[in-house]
Amino acid sequence: MAKKIIIGNWKMNPASLKEAILLVSSIKKGKAADKNEIVLCPPSVYLSDVVKILSSGKHGIKIGAQDCFYEEKGAFTGEVSPIMFKTVGAKYVIIGHSERRALGETNESINKKIKLSFKKGIKVILCVGESERDETGQYFRFIETQIKSALLGINKSYFKDLIIAYEPIWAIGKNAQKSCDPKDIKEMSLFIKKVLAEISSREIGLKATVIYGGSVDVKNATQIVSEGEVDGLLIGRASLDAKKFLGIINSVSSI
Ligand code: 13P
């Protein structure tokens, strides 16, 4: 099986640095060497400490940020730029997560954040996803608009550093009833590749990295990856429990 990418989005967790160190240490200790790419996205305040823990050993775990700002530096109180994340060791940044969109993030700011991140050499995990599915399939148009506006004016030479995470909002978090059906994930993944092909080239579309997020756990991870035909997973809750997260990594490795 081709290399997969498994990303843990810790969101605003855990509540203390001590717990964050414990979590990353347990993941590092339990992870066997394999070909898949593992990325942890802790809250930015813990990033340097997590990087320090990961600086030794042959675990191959990489680090990402959960958001960034679209200016390099300056008078932007509270913001952190992609270049700053890069200097402390982040290789990836999540942009456009639905939880940030719910707080006012727009397609326009997402576009600017992606542009600067690419320019500074950070790989982008662009999140897209509909809040509900309608009978007539309008959600496909919604996803298309999210992708096209996020990538507007971006040179396609950067698309090799792009991961698109399909995260239907209705499948995310503890209030979600269930994860998305693997056959619907497969359909959406193909659709996303088609949209990318339209704005770049058929080859780029075919090679695009599309992953899934939303209520992924140890029980459904392999089925989502194999039947959903995605290139990886973006995991929220289950990434906060080292045993569960390692269980997902191991089960995907065994496909
Ligand atoms: P859950 O895995 O907790 O549903 O969260 C998914 C997510 O939003 C990852 O970015």
Side-chain angles (χ1 to χ4, degrees):
M1 194 188 61
K3 182 174 156 178
K4 303 291 173 197
I5 180 159
I6 299 172
I7 304 167
N9 176 9
W10 290 4
K11 305 190 179 182
M12 202 172 74
N13 299 292
S16 71
L17 175 61
K18 201 172 151 200
E19 290 167 275
I21 289 177
L22 203 67
L23 178 56
V24 65
S25 304
S26 314
I27 294 170
K28 177 184 163 185
K29 197 163 151 231
K31 183 181 171 291
D34 69 20
K35 62 179 187 327
N36 294 327
E37 177 115 333
I38 309 301
V39 182
L40 299 180
C41 300
S44 51
V45 69
Y46 301 150
L47 228 135
S48 293
D49 291 276
V50 169
V51 167
K52 215 177 286 166
I53 303 281
L54 294 174
S55 62
S56 62
K58 281 206 172 90
H59 47 77
I61 303 169
K62 299 207 169 69
I63 290 300
Q66 297 177 11
D67 184 32
C68 66
F69 194 54
Y70 48 73
E71 296 286 349
E72 263 177 65
K73 62 185 174 99
F76 304 102
T77 303
E79 299 292 352
V80 185
S81 81
I83 189 87
M84 291 169 178
F85 283 122
K86 196 178 174 187
T87 60
V88 296
K91 304 276 186 251
Y92 290 87
V93 60
I94 297 172
I95 297 180
H97 193 284
S98 58
E99 287 151 15
R100 296 226 54 84
R101 292 181 195 255
L103 291 170
E105 177 88 285
T106 63
N107 282 327
E108 196 195 358
S109 59
I110 288 169
N111 177 250
K112 292 202 268 184
K113 289 176 177 186
I114 297 177
K115 275 185 182 151
L116 186 62
S117 299
F118 279 154
K119 213 167 118 199
K120 297 298 164 193
I122 301 236
K123 293 184 178 173
V124 170
I125 303 152
L126 166 65
C127 296
V128 297
E130 76 282 358
S131 54
E132 58 183 7
R133 288 195 158 207
D134 56 295
E135 294 281 299
T136 58
Q138 275 309 307
Y139 56 93
F140 282 107
R141 299 282 82 77
F142 182 77
I143 302 292
E144 182 176 1
T145 304
Q146 281 191 325
I147 295 172
K148 287 188 173 168
S149 50
L151 300 175
L152 192 71
I154 293 177
N155 193 308
K156 59 187 182 199
S157 64
Y158 287 123
F159 284 18
K160 61 175 187 348
D161 295 330
L162 173 71
I163 293 168
I164 297 199
Y166 172 55
E167 293 210 312
I169 298 170
W170 50 267
I172 295 176
K174 60 181 188 318
N175 295 326
Q177 305 287 327
K178 56 176 172 46
S179 66
C180 188
D181 191 294
K183 78 171 184 337
D184 295 331
I185 295 174
K186 181 179 168 183
E187 183 183 39
M188 185 55 83
S189 164
L190 286 171
F191 178 75
I192 290 171
K193 287 178 188 222
K194 191 172 109 349
V195 172
L196 277 175
E198 249 174 61
I199 56 172
S200 57
S201 69
R202 195 179 125 82
E203 202 199 346
I204 290 176
L206 283 171
K207 276 197 198 149
T209 305
V210 180
I211 65 174
Y212 169 81
S215 298
V216 176
D217 58 34
V218 193
K219 288 190 206 93
N220 62 15
T222 48
Q223 198 197 7
I224 288 173
V225 171
S226 51
E227 290 173 31
E229 292 184 23
V230 281
D231 304 299
L233 301 165
L234 180 53
I235 301 159
R237 283 158 295 160
S239 73
L240 295 169
D241 179 321
K243 213 170 138 212
K244 286 186 188 165
F245 191 58
L246 289 164
I248 294 173
I249 295 174
N250 292 336
S251 64
V252 172
S253 296
S254 66
I255 298 176

